[in-house]
Amino acid sequence: MSDQVCLIQGCTARVYAPAGTGALCKEHFLNFVTWRRRKGPGMFHKYGAMTMEERDAIAAEWSQTVKLAD
């Protein structure tokens, strides 16, 4: 994972955890988990059983909601 960068364009933080087939920094990963929990308990548990393509779609949906701090 060392050669990967955060899925959020413009983020230069070190990669922390996977999100679909990509990876996120720690701050964005925690934000992603929080966003999934807010979608409801069903979504949070369902994510673990999803294929990578389905997870990529969820991560892409979430990434549209992220605003980079200046």
Side-chain angles (χ1 to χ4, degrees):
M1 246 200 255
S2 62
D3 61 336
Q4 290 183 333
V5 295
C6 186
L7 283 175
I8 304 305
Q9 203 157 26
C11 180
T12 58
R14 192 170 55 127
V15 169
Y16 175 75
T21 55
L24 297 169
C25 66
K26 187 173 184 175
E27 178 183 345
H28 287 126
F29 175 73
L30 294 174
N31 184 278
F32 182 48
V33 171
T34 301
W35 178 83
R36 284 185 4 230
R37 283 189 188 270
R38 287 184 182 150
K39 298 282 264 181
M43 164 53 131
F44 191 78
H45 294 291
K46 178 180 155 184
Y47 186 83
M50 290 179 165
T51 65
M52 287 310 229
E53 291 79 21
E54 292 170 323
R55 288 181 179 198
D56 285 344
I58 297 297
E61 179 185 342
W62 162 78
S63 70
Q64 297 301 311
T65 67
V66 175
K67 306 262 190 280
L68 283 178
D70 291 330

